[in-house]
């Protein structure tokens, strides 16, 4: 189950110790599975591309084409007009 977190959607704002580029939007969610809960972020641009930095706790990027890329904190994340799901794991 995907549940929006408090103040879940932001654009180009300082959040979680990162500064989002002005064209980047993101929504924060908590994913509740039968045996665990974890946070996730959906991030996209309203035009063009942008780069952001993976914050602490980020584990993977999931794309609409079903591909997944492992990510570590500090890695560069390319954001486009196609939304990505950023998986945060404790």
């Amino acid at each position: 189950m995907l549940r929006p977190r408090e103040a879940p959607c932001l654009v180009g704002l300082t959040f979680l110790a990162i500064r989002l580029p002005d064209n980047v939007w993101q929504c924060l969610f908590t994913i509740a599975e039968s045996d665990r809960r974890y946070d996730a972020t959906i991030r996209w641009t309203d035009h063009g591309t942008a780069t952001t930095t993976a914050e602490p706790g980020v584990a993977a990027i999931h794309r609409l084409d079903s591909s997944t890329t492992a990510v570590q904190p500090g890695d560069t994340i390319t954001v486009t007009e196609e939304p990505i799901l950023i998986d945060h794991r404790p």
Side-chain angles (χ1 to χ4, degrees), residues 19-90:
R19 169 116 179 112
L20 295 177
D22 290 341
N23 64 331
V24 175
W25 287 77
Q26 74 175 18
C27 292
L28 307 174
F29 296 90
T30 297
I31 298 176
E33 296 178 343
S34 60
D35 59 341
R36 64 191 165 130
R37 295 170 58 95
Y38 59 94
D39 294 333
T41 303
I42 297 176
R43 193 175 286 170
W44 70 97
T45 64
D46 59 9
H47 64 278
T49 62
T51 58
T52 61
T53 301
E55 58 270 8
V58 170
I61 303 297
H62 303 276
R63 294 180 181 76
L64 292 176
D65 66 3
S66 299
S67 65
T68 300
T69 304
V71 180
Q72 296 181 1
D75 286 353
T76 298
I77 298 173
T78 300
V79 184
T80 68
E81 295 173 29
E82 183 174 292
I84 56 173
L85 183 126
I86 303 171
D87 189 347
H88 304 259
R89 299 294 172 122

Side-chain angles (χ1 to χ4, degrees), residues 3-18:
R3 294 177 191 243
R5 290 175 51 198
E6 186 176 322
C9 295
L10 304 168
V11 60
L13 297 175
T14 301
F15 190 77
L16 294 176
I18 63 170

